Amino acid sequence: MTELILSQYGLQNNLSSIKEYGSGLINSTWRVSAAGNKYILQKINNTVFKQPYDIADNISLIANFLKQNYPQYPFAAPVTAIDGKEMIYIEGSGYFRLFPFVEGSCSFDIANTSNLAFEAALQFGRFTKLLSQINSNDLKITIPHFHDLRFRYQQFTEALASAGNERKSKAEDSIKTLKNNYAIADEYKKIQSNPAFKKRVTHHDTKISNVLFDSNKKGICVIDLDTVMPGYFISDVGDMMRTYLSPVSEEEADFSKISIRRDCYKAIVEGYVSEMKDELSQVEKQYFFYAGKFSIYMQALRFLTDYLNDDAYFGSAYPGQNLIRASNQIVLLEKFIEARPELIDIGINS
Ligand code: GN1
Ligand code: MG
């Protein structure tokens, strides 16, 4: 199989190693060494990304814009196959692309320090700022309604209506809590109709492992552009809060380990604002705290919806994993809301 893929890049006779890489839930990723070079090979999950070539189109649009306007930005563009395309299709196997492995770069699975959080937030802010001259509507929508919180709530209610009794009863407390927090989805409705909120080129998956760092732990650039689409800044800032504030991830089953690190919150706001201060409206700047609630609540809804749908989307490695993930995110949400008094003033006037 790998031979067949690499043959499309003229590398079939030079493979020296291939190893699974990263911990993404949707696409499959490998690190490949071939012809003396290192690459990242990725298989697109085309149940989730129904039009894989739309991803390739978005990436070329961005790559060309950066090359023309910010040639010094270290953008990791995909390798072009022999046929000139950036994404290849192999009958019976699916859609693949190959990226050069950025030499000297490293990545982290957890934002261990506020310095990493700052650097990552700066990188995601820079990405959106540099691309502010692109009309975000020129991007293809690779997953419709991806961060549409009202749509996610709707999916949750549909899953509730069709779920089996056993899962529904196991999830009873979580279901109740998510229903009780519906106001977060309602607030999103107001954002959608508020002209002070702008749709920009938004990454939509701002976990720390999507930033490349150098050996001094300075950010280099962002990667994983599959979900780059028009969106609100709360998506990117919120997903950083969701994934950097607590020292443990969404997979942690011991919820007593979940906590909110104020210094990481400050780092996210300051890192992002250091790049985006002239782009964000005064109204948007009041919504940093809401961004965290928005993303944590949405991810809790998505995990619980998937649990009720028998794990059809995220899959599960052990029984009840998506319920654990949802419950983890609910505890994170509760702790985040509890910490509001210590967080709310950070960044408002920046
Ligand atoms: C998925 O595949 P991965 O790990 O990059 C998901 C994100 C979720 C994340 C939760 C396309 O991202 O939206 O926040 O899992 N991506 C898609 O771990 O659904
Ligand atoms: Mg991703």
Side-chain angles (χ1 to χ4, degrees), residues 245-274:
L245 292 184
S246 172
V248 294
S249 82
E250 65 200 20
E251 301 293 350
E252 180 61 60
D254 178 353
F255 303 151
S256 70
K257 291 186 180 156
I258 299 172
S259 69
I260 301 296
R261 296 176 296 178
R262 187 182 183 277
D263 62 333
C264 287
Y265 182 94
K266 189 164 183 281
I268 294 168
V269 176
E270 288 178 354
Y272 194 78
V273 166
S274 73

Side-chain angles (χ1 to χ4, degrees), residues 24-26 143 146 205 207 242 250 299 302 313-314:
L25 300 179
I26 305 297
I143 302 181
F146 187 49
D205 190 10
K207 57 187 176 201
R242 183 180 84 73
E250 65 200 20
Q299 195 62 53
R302 291 179 66 198
Y313 187 87
F314 290 112

Side-chain angles (χ1 to χ4, degrees), residues 75 162 209 226 275 289 308 313:
F75 185 68
S162 63
S209 58
D226 303 346
E275 291 284 329
F289 183 76
L308 295 169
Y313 187 87

Side-chain angles (χ1 to χ4, degrees), residues 187 191 194 196-197 200 233-234 237 241 265 269 272-273 277 280-293 336 340 343-350:
E187 179 82 36
I191 288 178
N194 185 344
F197 279 84
R200 302 182 176 87
F233 89 100
I234 56 169
V237 166
M241 291 182 181
Y265 182 94
V269 176
Y272 194 78
V273 166
K277 54 184 170 304
L280 296 173
S281 66
Q282 285 310 316
V283 176
E284 286 174 313
K285 286 179 186 169
Q286 311 279 321
Y287 275 74
F288 275 90
F289 183 76
Y290 174 76
K293 284 200 296 185
F336 183 68
R340 185 178 187 275
L343 304 177
I344 192 67
D345 291 333
I346 297 173
I348 286 270
N349 298 313
S350 46

Side-chain angles (χ1 to χ4, degrees), residues 98-257:
L98 194 67
F99 293 96
F101 184 85
V102 178
E103 239 1 280
S105 72
C106 60
S107 60
F108 298 90
D109 283 330
I110 295 269
N112 285 321
T113 62
S114 59
N115 172 59
L116 284 186
F118 179 90
E119 286 294 317
L122 179 151
Q123 287 300 326
F124 285 110
R126 178 172 296 170
F127 179 74
T128 294
K129 187 183 77 178
L130 292 182
L131 300 177
S132 61
Q133 296 308 310
I134 290 185
N135 179 351
S136 67
N137 287 324
D138 290 344
L139 292 168
K140 306 259 170 77
I141 308 285
T142 55
I143 302 181
H145 300 293
F146 187 49
H147 276 197
D148 178 345
L149 185 52
R150 286 199 293 157
F151 173 77
R152 295 303 185 185
Y153 195 86
Q154 179 65 26
Q155 284 186 317
F156 167 62
T157 49
E158 281 163 20
L160 266 178
S162 63
N165 283 337
E166 194 187 329
R167 286 199 181 214
K168 232 169 30 193
S169 100
K170 283 189 175 141
E172 203 183 331
D173 291 348
S174 302
I175 294 169
K176 223 180 263 165
T177 312
L178 291 186
K179 282 185 172 172
N180 286 342
N181 278 283
Y182 178 75
I184 301 173
D186 227 21
E187 179 82 36
Y188 180 69
K189 195 158 135 189
K190 292 188 201 138
I191 288 178
Q192 285 179 302
S193 57
N194 185 344
F197 279 84
K198 193 173 161 188
K199 289 248 175 145
R200 302 182 176 87
V201 177
T202 303
H203 187 283
H204 288 111
D205 190 10
T206 54
K207 57 187 176 201
I208 199 89
S209 58
N210 281 340
V211 178
L212 297 184
F213 290 87
D214 69 15
S215 55
N216 297 316
K217 299 194 175 161
K218 288 277 169 210
I220 302 176
C221 63
V222 305
I223 55 169
D224 187 8
L225 305 188
D226 303 346
T227 53
V228 173
M229 290 179 263
Y232 297 115
F233 89 100
I234 56 169
S235 279
D236 281 1
V237 166
D239 205 49
M240 287 193 264
M241 291 182 181
R242 183 180 84 73
T243 54
Y244 311 169
L245 292 184
S246 172
V248 294
S249 82
E250 65 200 20
E251 301 293 350
E252 180 61 60
D254 178 353
F255 303 151
S256 70
K257 291 186 180 156

